[in-house]
Amino acid sequence: MNQVEIIEVGPRDGFQSVKAYIPLDIKLSIIDELINSGIKHLQITSFVSPKAIPQMQDAQELAAYCLQKYPNAHFMALVPNLRGAKTAWETGIRQISYVVSLSERHHVANINRTRAESFADLLNIQMQYPELEICLDLATAFGCPFEGRKHEQDVLGFIKPYVESGIRTINLCDTIGIANPAQVRKTIRAIQQVYPGLELQIHIHDTRNMGMVNTLAAIECGVTKVQSTLGGLGGCPFAPGASGNLATEDLVFMLSEMGYELGIDLPKLIEAARYQTKVIPDAIYSGHLHKISQHI
Ligand code: COA
Ligand code: ZN
C-alpha cells in the first residue's frame, strides 16, 4: 500500500509566521486553492490568545466558514489550552492538535506555562470533550534552541503519561529543523517498539534543507500521515532561527514520482503556491517548485 496522506498545515503554521495580518478573504482563497488541488486534510487555524499570535485573531470566523463550505474535508486546529479547546469545539472543530514541547524551556516560551500545567489541562479537555479527537503535537521533538539535542529516550519518557491518558496520535515536530534521517528513524522505531498501536505523524521544518529527507525517512519507517505547508511558508515565532516548513508541492512531486498515491493534482498545487506568493509577498518560502517556470 503506497499511500501517504498529506496534512497541509500552512494556514496555521505558515500564516502565523507572517507578521502583517493576512485578511480573512485572502486566507480563505488560499484554502480554496488547496482544496481544489485535492488536499483533504488541513490544519486551518489555531485557537490561541490573539495577544500571543495576532495573525490567528479570525480563527472562529475562518473555521466556521470552512466547516460550512467544505463538509467533507478534514479540518483540524491547533489548541494550547482548555479555553482553546472549548472555542474549537463550539465552532464545530472535532479534531485538535494539542501543542506541547519536549523541551521545558521552549514550552514555557511558547505557552507561558510548565509542561506539567499543560498536561493537567489536557486531562481537563479529555474529560470535558470526550469526543474531541486529540493529536499531541510534540514540538522540539528532535532538538530545542534552548536545551539542545533531544533523544529517543527523552521522547519515550515524555509521552508515557500522554499515551496512558488515552492519546492515540502523536505528531513529531522538528520545530527548528535540527533532525537528521538517522535520528528520525531511531526515534520512530523506538516509539513503534514500545507503543505499536500509536499513530505517528511527522512535521519537519526546512531550516537546514532536511525537510524532505527527514520526512521520507519517517515514511519509510511506516509513517503514513505527514505535514507540510504550501510553498514551504512557515516558521515558529518563538524559536529563534526557525525558517520555512517542508513545501507541500515539493513533497507531492517526490512522492508521486516514487509511485505514492496522494490524490493531489500537482500542477494545481504549484499554481496555488504561486498564487500564495502573489497575495502574501513578504514571507519566507522554502519551497522550490513554485519558483521554477517550466515543468515537464
Ligand atoms: N484563545 C483565545 N484567547 C485566549 C486563549 C485562547 N485559547 N487562552 C487565553 N486567552 C486570552 C485570555 O482570555 C486573556 O485575555 P485578556 O488579557 O483579554 O483577559 C489572555 O489571553 C491571557 O490569558 P492567560 O490565560 O493569562 O494566558 P497567557 O498570557 O499565559 O498565554 C497562552 C497563554 C497559551 C494563551 C498563549 O501563550 C498562547 O496563545 N500561545 C500560543 C502560542 C502559539 O500558538 N505558538 C505557535 C504554535 S506552536
Ligand atoms: Zn511547525
Side-chain angles (χ1 to χ4, degrees):
M1 275 229 317
N2 258 2
Q3 280 189 339
V4 167
E5 217 163 72
I6 306 270
I7 303 176
E8 167 65 39
V9 297
R12 197 277 304 172
D13 208 5
F15 292 174
Q16 80 175 15
S17 70
V18 180
K19 259 219 165 100
Y21 176 69
I22 306 163
L24 180 58
D25 59 331
I26 300 280
K27 289 177 179 166
L28 293 172
S29 68
I30 293 167
I31 292 171
D32 283 344
E33 297 262 329
L34 282 161
I35 290 180
N36 288 337
S37 73
I39 297 278
K40 291 161 212 73
H41 298 257
L42 290 103
Q43 189 178 56
I44 44 173
T45 190
S46 55
F47 292 92
V48 297
S49 161
K51 282 178 191 149
I53 313 271
Q55 187 62 257
M56 296 290 133
Q57 62 191 267
D58 52 19
Q60 261 181 286
E61 213 180 331
L62 183 146
Y65 181 89
C66 289
L67 287 164
Q68 206 235 338
K69 184 163 183 187
Y70 297 108
N72 296 323
H74 303 270
F75 293 129
M76 56 169 175
L78 182 137
V79 158
N81 57 12
L82 177 62
R83 158 93 188 264
K86 179 175 186 290
T87 318
W89 179 264
E90 287 171 358
T91 311
I93 292 283
R94 294 294 174 261
Q95 220 183 335
I96 61 165
S97 310
Y98 187 70
V99 58
V100 294
S101 295
L102 182 56
S103 140
E104 179 79 358
R105 281 185 62 193
H106 181 264
H107 189 80
V108 172
N110 197 24
I111 311 291
N112 196 28
R113 52 168 63 177
T114 64
R115 292 176 302 171
E117 286 169 320
S118 276
F119 181 66
D121 221 16
L122 174 71
L123 299 181
N124 276 330
I125 295 173
Q126 288 169 321
M127 206 160 59
Q128 295 194 31
Y129 303 99
E131 284 165 48
L132 198 53
E133 215 178 291
I134 306 173
C135 168
L136 186 73
D137 249 27
L138 188 59
T140 63
F142 301 95
C144 163
F146 313 116
E147 294 182 6
R149 178 76 55 191
K150 294 289 176 186
H151 302 277
E152 67 276 13
Q153 291 310 328
D154 302 318
V155 178
L156 281 177
F158 182 75
I159 64 176
K160 189 169 185 282
Y162 285 91
V163 178
E164 287 169 357
S165 82
I167 289 291
R168 292 283 162 266
T169 307
I170 295 184
N171 177 30
L172 299 170
C173 302
D174 186 12
T175 313
I176 55 166
I178 192 80
N180 64 71
Q183 185 188 11
V184 169
R185 282 189 205 104
K186 224 171 159 189
T187 304
I188 289 174
R189 287 190 181 134
I191 301 172
Q192 287 169 334
Q193 208 163 19
V194 181
Y195 302 110
L198 198 62
E199 180 186 286
L200 293 178
Q201 299 180 8
I202 194 102
H203 172 116
I204 303 273
H205 282 256
D206 211 27
T207 322
R208 292 167 181 79
N209 203 19
M210 305 280 268
M212 199 78 99
V213 286
N214 285 331
T215 302
L216 185 60
I219 290 170
E220 293 187 341
C221 285
V223 169
T224 57
K225 294 184 184 174
V226 299
Q227 301 197 350
S228 56
T229 71
L230 185 67
L233 176 64
C236 172
F238 300 100
S243 76
N245 288 57
L246 170 60
T248 306
E249 66 278 10
D250 294 2
L251 179 63
V252 166
F253 173 75
M254 177 183 71
L255 293 177
S256 354
E257 291 287 308
M258 290 174 74
Y260 285 90
E261 279 175 40
L262 305 168
I264 294 169
D265 183 322
L266 183 61
K268 280 191 183 167
L269 194 61
I270 293 172
E271 270 320 304
R274 289 196 181 130
Y275 168 73
Q276 182 178 243
T277 60
K278 259 184 232 140
V279 292
I280 314 176
D282 297 321
I284 299 169
Y285 293 105
S286 61
H288 297 80
L289 277 191
H290 71 274
K291 297 170 190 158
I292 301 173
S293 56
Q294 289 291 319
H295 290 283
I296 46 163

